[in-house]
Amino acid sequence: MASTTVRISEATRRIVQELASQTGESMRDVLEKAIEEYRRRRFFEQVNAAYEALSNDPEEWQNELQERKLLEG
């Protein structure tokens, strides 16, 4: 697997090292899991914001609800 160097603060390195020690995982695995968790959280924040915007438009929200009924059969 290809790798690259990313600069992080010393405090962050210590935290990652501590988590790796506690879990028995490599620092690389800890960082990859943390980044994936962050990516997923951002995704759902964006989905929630889009639904909130949609629900604030009464006409579009009704269209959404009608489409859901069609999909539910």
Side-chain angles (χ1 to χ4, degrees), residues 12-24:
T12 299
R13 187 195 63 75
R14 281 193 305 268
I15 291 168
V16 173
Q17 190 173 32
E18 182 178 319
L19 288 168
S21 178
Q22 290 173 358
T23 63

Side-chain angles (χ1 to χ4, degrees), residues 37-50:
E37 175 64 27
Y38 181 68
R39 184 194 66 79
R40 288 175 186 229
R41 184 165 22 107
R42 292 281 302 135
F43 171 80
F44 284 109
E45 287 171 353
Q46 291 168 342
V47 168
N48 288 336

Side-chain angles (χ1 to χ4, degrees), residues 34-63:
I35 290 166
E36 177 61 15
E37 175 64 27
Y38 181 68
R39 184 194 66 79
R40 288 175 186 229
R41 184 165 22 107
R42 292 281 302 135
F43 171 80
F44 284 109
E45 287 171 353
Q46 291 168 342
V47 168
N48 288 336
Y51 268 105
E52 183 176 352
L54 185 64
S55 70
N56 287 330
D57 182 332
E59 184 178 336
E60 288 300 319
W61 186 245
Q62 285 305 312
N63 290 340

